[in-house]
Amino acid sequence: MSHKRPLPWANLEEFRGKMFKGEWPTFPELLEIQNLRFGERPCLTDFDGPDGSKRTLTYSQMYEKVLKLANFLVSSGLKKGDHVAVAGKNSPEWAITYLAILVASGVVIPIADSLHDTETGNIIKASTPKFAFLDDGKIPYVKENFPNLIVYSLNPTVPEKFVLNLSASPVTPENQNEKPTEDDLALIMFTSGTTGNPKGVMLTHKNIISDGYIAQTNLLILPTDVFYALLPIHHAYTMQAAFICPLQVGAEIVFGKSLAVTRLMKELREGKISIMLGVPLLYNKLLSGINKGIRSKGAAVYGIISLLRGISFVSKKFFGLNIGRSLFGKVLEQANISTLRVAICGGGPLAKSVFRQYQEMGIDFIQGYGLTETSPIIALNPVEKFKIQSVGRDFSPYEEIKIIENKEFSDVAENIRGGQKIGEICVKGPMVMKGYYNMPKETAEMFTEDGFLKTGDLGWMDKDHYIMLCGRAKNLIVTSGGKNVYPEEVEDSFQLYYDIQQVTVRGYHPKGDSTSEEIEALIYVSDDLYKSLGLERKTDSVQEEIVKAVHAIVSKVNKRLQSYEQITKISLLKEPLEMTPSQKVKRDFVAKIYE
């Protein structure tokens, strides 16, 4: 694979052997280098100043606070390899705590701020941290149930416990912790712990640092870029793409804390965001608002804009001319995304039609793919040569990906895409996890005999090394005719139907047949549909007008699906199903359905 520009890590070479000796720098080494290179550039920003004003720390200010907190941790008894839990909303305080733990040679245990108390407790039990830095809402439960855990606050409401106020006398040389190496553990990322037995993914300094730099072989990012960390930063996707990668190039990070429209619009506008990270749900909502505004101008205007969109896409895809920004500058400005250079979607496949519409408007919109066990990025669509049907191109020669044919698959045509056989996506490279914490059996089961990590995702890869994703192997539905149906592919067909807030597809057994499956759609209707029909949502029953509207949408979707993929049962949900931080439905659900 040839590169028209220098490798993303080329600027590290002048520091190799001087400020770091491994193949990749550790976090302490990286921060020291970036402090020298970008000290006066903006680093961490939020809008939590007086009256919602903007607050920014430069790289040198951030580094000073990180060193101060790292010194406090070591002075307070943190030893190399000790675990430290962090649970809070996106903020500069969260970022400083994360980095200080690593500089002090500790191991970060990121915990979702949205977890229930019992789930938080299960992760604390499994990880046995020595310290915990928490938002105020979690402190009472943790203190009551873990009295021996030393707890500090990420919020300034209790000044003496506030993370940025913690200080200690400088640690003497003989009391310094040994510095971490690139192969030392940096963090353990746990599943939610709903079952009481959370699984912890162990990632090293090399795993995380290498993945950030290698991902940039498919995406040029600049010190002048401004990243928007809106999704929960404890999640591997946001942590890498909107936190680690910006630090590696000296870019600015704006922390968003809420999906509330007014705050989102303010942060996009005043933050002058140039690179945004999101999941399909977020981009669908944003596009819905844009299209609603265009439709309000009338059918004639909408038709003209649709024509211009088509011209823009052809110009960009086939001639490399980005005329979308000129054609749709006013539209982008009204949506507060006129400064947006690149939009990245992860956490699940995005409908091709959504992908295309952003490209048509002049935004370099790309998809990425990965999982926590791979730090997490293992594929990214290059801006210069994107494929709307792909979740990304691999990073060869810096990683290896192969498709292993599933033994349950037959040689029938529907298991072939683009002339390639569908199978399980497997990966090998420096970003692949060390293993699961205290779970040697489960770790061994994740790898092939030749050392490839089994992702559990089904898909295929074309001759140009672009990955096409079908869905999770464990979610596969097998019909009576032996046809394989991927629920995620069916769900993606609903992404532009804004009257449906959530759709989850699963197999069900028709009456009298326990051997084969047909397709059921669990649907939660949006508030917009109720509003447009002049109805109010009820908890005990669903109105006939709502049922008819949903059936009409499903009928339209079915016409675009293969006969064996078509939905034969619709169940309307009383409340939405619980979702992961990356806005995917947790499949181990108990659904509350209108009878």
Side-chain angles (χ1 to χ4, degrees):
M1 177 175 156
S2 61
H3 293 270
K4 296 180 181 178
R5 56 180 181 258
L7 289 171
W9 53 90
N11 53 47
L12 293 176
E13 292 308 314
E14 64 176 295
F15 303 101
R16 190 180 297 276
K18 302 171 186 174
M19 297 182 71
F20 75 99
K21 296 181 180 179
E23 181 183 4
W24 301 96
T26 62
F27 274 93
E29 292 165 341
L30 176 66
L31 291 180
E32 187 177 4
I33 291 170
Q34 299 306 70
N35 181 52
L36 284 175
R37 297 179 66 212
F38 303 108
E40 299 311 308
R41 287 197 55 78
C43 181
L44 308 178
T45 293
D46 69 6
F47 285 87
D48 283 346
D51 299 320
S53 60
K54 186 178 179 181
R55 303 187 306 169
T56 298
L57 294 173
T58 64
Y59 271 79
S60 62
Q61 289 170 332
M62 175 273 291
Y63 189 51
E64 180 183 351
K65 293 181 185 300
V66 166
L67 293 180
K68 176 185 169 187
L69 181 57
N71 180 75
F72 174 83
L73 288 170
V74 175
S75 297
S76 301
L78 181 78
K79 302 300 181 185
K80 182 177 181 180
D82 282 348
H83 298 175
V84 182
V86 185
K89 295 180 176 64
N90 294 2
S91 67
E93 290 81 4
W94 192 103
I96 288 166
T97 302
Y98 176 101
L99 296 171
I101 295 164
L102 297 173
V103 168
S105 300
V107 176
V108 183
I109 311 295
I111 301 177
D113 182 63
S114 60
L115 291 183
H116 301 302
D117 284 347
T118 53
E119 294 173 320
T120 300
N122 287 336
I123 292 176
I124 290 175
K125 287 176 188 175
S127 61
T128 60
K130 193 166 189 175
F131 300 91
F133 291 83
L134 311 171
D135 271 349
D136 289 350
K138 287 195 177 296
I139 290 177
Y141 169 82
V142 172
K143 278 190 170 181
E144 180 181 348
N145 290 273
F146 300 93
N148 295 324
L149 181 58
I150 303 169
V151 177
Y152 297 102
S153 177
L154 293 170
N155 310 123
T157 49
V158 184
E160 66 274 16
K161 291 289 185 179
F162 179 43
V163 57
L164 298 186
N165 290 344
L166 302 175
S167 62
S169 300
V171 177
T172 57
E174 58 270 18
N175 291 329
Q176 290 275 6
N177 284 338
E178 180 186 351
K179 294 297 183 182
T181 68
E182 60 181 332
D183 293 315
D184 281 334
L185 201 57
L187 67 151
I188 307 175
M189 306 197 74
F190 282 89
T191 55
S192 67
T194 305
T195 62
N197 188 30
K199 184 183 290 184
V201 176
M202 297 189 292
L203 299 176
T204 65
H205 287 255
K206 177 191 285 187
N207 289 154
I208 305 164
I209 297 291
S210 69
D211 191 56
Y213 278 116
I214 289 171
Q216 293 171 53
T217 60
N218 282 2
L219 175 64
L220 174 65
I221 57 177
L222 306 166
T224 51
D225 275 318
V226 181
F227 282 72
Y228 193 28
L230 176 62
L231 302 176
I233 199 171
H234 76 275
H235 189 271
Y237 166 45
T238 313
M239 190 185 300
Q240 180 62 269
F243 178 40
I244 307 304
C245 283
L247 289 177
Q248 290 177 331
V249 301
E252 181 180 359
I253 305 158
V254 173
F255 293 99
K257 299 184 180 181
S258 170
L259 284 171
V261 175
T262 52
R263 177 152 186 161
L264 172 64
M265 293 296 103
K266 171 186 169 68
E267 291 171 346
L268 283 171
R269 180 178 62 255
E270 297 182 18
K272 300 188 186 313
I273 307 300
S274 65
I275 298 184
M276 179 177 176
L277 286 295
V279 293
L281 180 64
L282 174 62
Y283 287 119
N284 287 334
K285 282 186 174 181
L286 190 58
L287 185 61
S288 172
I290 292 171
N291 285 335
K292 189 177 293 184
I294 295 172
R295 285 194 181 95
S296 68
K297 305 294 184 183
V301 172
Y302 187 79
I304 292 170
I305 288 180
S306 296
L307 176 62
L308 292 176
R309 277 176 162 177
I311 294 171
S312 173
F313 183 80
V314 171
S315 298
K316 188 174 186 185
K317 176 67 177 174
F318 298 104
F319 301 103
L321 300 174
N322 188 352
I323 63 174
R325 286 193 174 274
S326 299
L327 293 174
F328 305 109
K330 288 291 184 183
V331 174
L332 298 177
E333 191 174 330
Q334 289 177 357
N336 294 298
I337 54 175
S338 60
T339 60
L340 198 61
R341 184 173 72 83
V342 178
I344 304 173
C345 186
L350 187 75
K352 289 184 287 186
S353 53
V354 177
F355 191 131
R356 175 170 175 142
Q357 287 184 59
Y358 279 103
Q359 291 282 2
E360 290 169 346
M361 289 186 291
I363 293 174
D364 287 326
F365 193 93
I366 58 176
Q367 290 199 78
Y369 165 64
L371 57 161
T372 304
E373 287 86 347
T374 58
S375 305
I377 310 170
I378 56 176
L380 194 64
N381 243 316
V383 167
E384 302 86 356
K385 199 173 181 181
F386 62 88
K387 294 188 179 183
I388 63 174
Q389 69 272 30
S390 172
V391 293
R393 188 176 70 189
D394 76 357
F395 303 127
S396 58
Y398 309 108
E399 71 175 4
E400 294 179 72
I401 286 182
K402 65 178 180 179
I403 308 297
I404 297 180
E405 188 175 329
N406 192 307
K407 63 182 179 180
E408 297 179 2
F409 287 5
S410 62
D411 291 326
V412 293
E414 69 269 13
N415 291 323
I416 297 176
R417 299 280 198 280
Q420 303 294 321
K421 199 69 180 282
I422 293 172
E424 184 173 11
I425 300 166
C426 299
V427 60
K428 181 189 288 187
M431 68 288 293
V432 174
M433 70 170 181
K434 193 171 184 177
Y436 292 125
Y437 183 61
N438 288 339
M439 291 184 173
K441 180 175 179 293
E442 288 82 354
T443 299
E445 291 172 350
M446 284 293 292
F447 290 88
T448 63
E449 291 183 0
D450 55 350
F452 279 78
L453 176 83
K454 296 182 285 186
T455 67
D457 288 321
L458 298 173
W460 57 282
M461 188 163 64
D462 70 11
K463 60 182 178 60
D464 299 318
H465 289 236
Y466 286 78
I467 295 172
M468 319 296 167
L469 202 61
C470 296
R472 297 289 293 170
K474 64 183 179 182
N475 298 336
L476 182 67
I477 299 169
V478 181
T479 69
S480 58
K483 306 287 189 179
N484 295 322
V485 177
Y486 308 96
E488 294 88 345
E489 288 188 337
V490 179
E491 291 163 2
D492 290 345
S493 301
F494 286 86
Q495 284 192 19
L496 287 180
Y497 289 97
Y498 303 117
D499 288 335
I500 291 178
Q501 179 177 322
Q502 187 186 85
V503 59
T504 303
V505 170
R506 66 181 179 183
Y508 76 97
H509 296 294
K511 287 185 178 179
D513 185 356
S514 60
T515 59
S516 63
E517 293 180 291
E518 291 189 16
I519 313 303
E520 177 186 13
L522 301 172
I523 290 173
Y524 183 73
V525 177
S526 72
D527 291 338
D528 286 344
L529 179 57
Y530 278 92
K531 185 176 179 180
S532 67
L533 294 175
L535 301 172
E536 291 187 4
R537 195 186 297 273
K538 298 179 180 179
T539 56
D540 57 343
S541 64
V542 62
Q543 295 92 329
E544 185 178 345
E545 296 94 328
I546 296 293
V547 174
K548 286 182 179 179
V550 171
H551 276 265
I553 293 172
V554 172
S555 178
K556 290 178 182 178
V557 169
N558 273 342
K559 288 177 181 178
R560 299 202 305 270
L561 299 173
Q562 297 292 329
S563 59
Y564 59 87
E565 296 177 308
Q566 291 180 1
I567 296 162
T568 57
K569 180 181 179 181
I570 301 171
S571 297
L572 296 184
L573 297 167
K574 294 182 177 181
E575 57 187 46
L577 299 174
E578 188 175 1
M579 304 185 82
T580 68
S582 59
Q583 300 302 299
K584 291 183 286 189
V585 168
K586 293 184 177 181
R587 295 274 175 176
D588 55 343
F589 55 78
V590 177
K592 295 180 180 179
I593 298 170
Y594 289 108
E595 299 299 331

